[in-house]
């Protein structure tokens, strides 16, 4: 199933690895109030696909966090969005 969505994290957003069953792990993203669960693909090698995806997600999320933590990233966001300036 494919779909596109744009969400923003609320103040209580979080992420967790959970077990749907003892054999089925999932990544759950709690965006406050929207929740997204990413589960094992139901085909042979699905665990390898999910493993690669999670590693890529981790790398790219780290890049984004580093950018937002830099002076350049903070400046770019604060200049264009009056809500961010607080």
């Amino acid at each position: 199933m494919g779909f596109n969505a744009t969400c923003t994290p609320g103040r209580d957003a979080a992420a967790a690895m959970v077990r749907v069953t003892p054999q089925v792990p999932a990544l759950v993203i709690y965006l406050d109030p929207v929740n997204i669960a990413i589960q094992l693909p139901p085909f042979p090698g699905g665990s390898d696909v999910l493993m690669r995806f999670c590693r890529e997600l981790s790398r790219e999320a780290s890049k984004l966090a580093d950018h937002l933590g830099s002076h350049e990233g903070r400046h770019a966001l604060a200049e264009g969005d009056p809500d961010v300036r607080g």
Side-chain angles (χ1 to χ4, degrees), residues 2-6:
F3 70 96
N4 293 314
T6 301

Side-chain angles (χ1 to χ4, degrees), residues 43-60:
F43 49 77
S47 60
D48 290 334
V49 170
L50 183 55
M51 177 183 61
R52 284 191 303 271
F53 172 76
C54 287
R55 288 188 173 140
E56 181 178 352
L57 180 63
S58 174
R59 279 191 309 271
E60 296 304 313

Side-chain angles (χ1 to χ4, degrees), residues 55-75:
R55 288 188 173 140
E56 181 178 352
L57 180 63
S58 174
R59 279 191 309 271
E60 296 304 313
S62 182
K63 287 179 191 177
L64 178 57
D66 290 346
H67 174 75
L68 294 173
S70 73
H71 177 65
E72 178 183 327
R74 289 179 185 269
H75 178 74

